[in-house]
Amino acid sequence: KMIEIVVSVCSIVQGTTCKDVRLTFIAESATPFECMMYGQVEIAKWSEGHPNWKVQRWSCGRPSQMAKI
């Protein structure tokens, strides 16, 4: 099953520039515990590759639940 994490990040260089980033990964099941556990790992990986962005908050769920309308 896939889990989607929506991460709200703001630029360290331009503090007023913020955006939502969507990360999707595969887990055996999509429990809230797995989301908390794996979500932190995925966010850490993303953060390492984007050092000019600071994570403000994040949430997760199944991609179909998080889809924009």
Side-chain angles (χ1 to χ4, degrees):
K1 295 181 179 180
M2 295 182 73
I3 295 175
E4 183 174 73
I5 305 166
V6 178
V7 185
S8 297
V9 297
C10 292
S11 172
I12 292 173
V13 178
Q14 298 174 339
T16 59
T17 302
C18 298
K19 65 180 180 177
D20 287 342
V21 176
R22 295 177 181 273
L23 308 175
T24 304
F25 66 98
I26 297 173
E28 289 182 22
S29 61
T31 66
F33 175 76
E34 283 190 340
C35 182
M36 292 297 294
M37 186 171 65
Y38 294 117
Q40 292 177 15
V41 173
E42 294 299 316
I43 292 167
K45 288 180 194 175
W46 185 90
S47 294
E48 286 177 12
H50 301 84
N52 292 329
W53 293 91
K54 180 179 177 182
V55 174
Q56 299 296 315
R57 63 184 172 274
W58 62 280
S59 62
C60 58
R62 292 188 178 104
S64 60
Q65 293 175 338
M66 306 293 285
K68 290 183 177 179
I69 297 175

